[in-house]
Amino acid sequence: MAITQPEGELCEVTFVELRSERNVHPVGGAAKRVFDILFSVVAMLSAAPFFLILPAIIYFVSPGPVFYSHRRVGFGGKTFPCLKFRTMVLDADQVLEDYLAEHPEARAEYVHHRKLKTDPRIIPIVGTFMRKS
């Protein structure tokens, strides 16, 4: 690959990929994996009542699907499906567009930070709670 320098001279650039065996497997090995699984099972069982009530609250406050599904990038750059409780209204893009059209100060905040302190897309009470906890 050749890159032109400001003076017009060419210089060669070589890209070297460095790998080590450490980066091939997750940190901690089998013992950590067993701990992660056992801890996750205990945590999920203790949170089960909350996970049974939360979908009903989401549905009644903001009718529509309770879950939001998308893909995330995981270990080694592999993608995996991620399922989350929905915290935004269904037509979030349109709600944001309308809100920013009516509130120029919010538009300036959104352009600068790419988020809003009081976001109209968030489901009232339950959405705010889930995003903060």
Side-chain angles (χ1 to χ4, degrees):
M1 173 177 181
I3 296 178
T4 306
Q5 294 180 339
E7 300 83 30
E9 301 173 13
L10 290 179
C11 69
E12 288 293 316
V13 177
T14 304
F15 293 99
V16 178
E17 183 178 335
L18 298 176
R19 277 198 172 168
S20 70
E21 287 301 312
R22 294 185 291 185
N23 296 333
V24 176
H25 302 288
V27 177
K32 182 178 180 303
R33 180 69 175 156
V34 168
F35 171 79
D36 289 346
I37 291 171
L38 290 176
F39 182 81
S40 297
V41 167
V42 170
M44 287 191 304
L45 289 175
S46 13
F50 178 71
F51 290 147
L52 294 173
I53 294 169
L54 190 59
I57 295 171
I58 292 170
Y59 182 78
F60 287 115
V61 173
S62 177
V66 172
F67 296 104
Y68 170 73
S69 176
H70 66 286
R71 296 196 66 76
R72 290 267 173 114
V73 179
F75 183 77
K78 293 180 182 176
T79 60
F80 64 94
C82 180
L83 191 64
K84 302 181 346 179
F85 287 114
R86 184 170 55 89
T87 61
M88 288 192 173
V89 295
L90 288 179
D91 55 346
D93 293 334
Q94 185 62 46
V95 169
L96 178 63
E97 188 177 311
D98 295 344
Y99 184 79
L100 295 180
E102 296 172 15
H103 300 87
E105 70 284 352
R107 178 174 291 284
E109 177 185 349
Y110 187 76
V111 167
H112 185 264
H113 298 289
R114 295 300 293 170
K115 64 185 341 183
L116 298 169
K117 287 184 181 178
T118 53
D119 196 328
R121 300 172 296 173
I122 306 298
I123 299 171
I125 302 166
V126 71
T128 306
F129 169 76
M130 288 191 310
R131 286 175 165 257
K132 289 187 178 186
S133 59

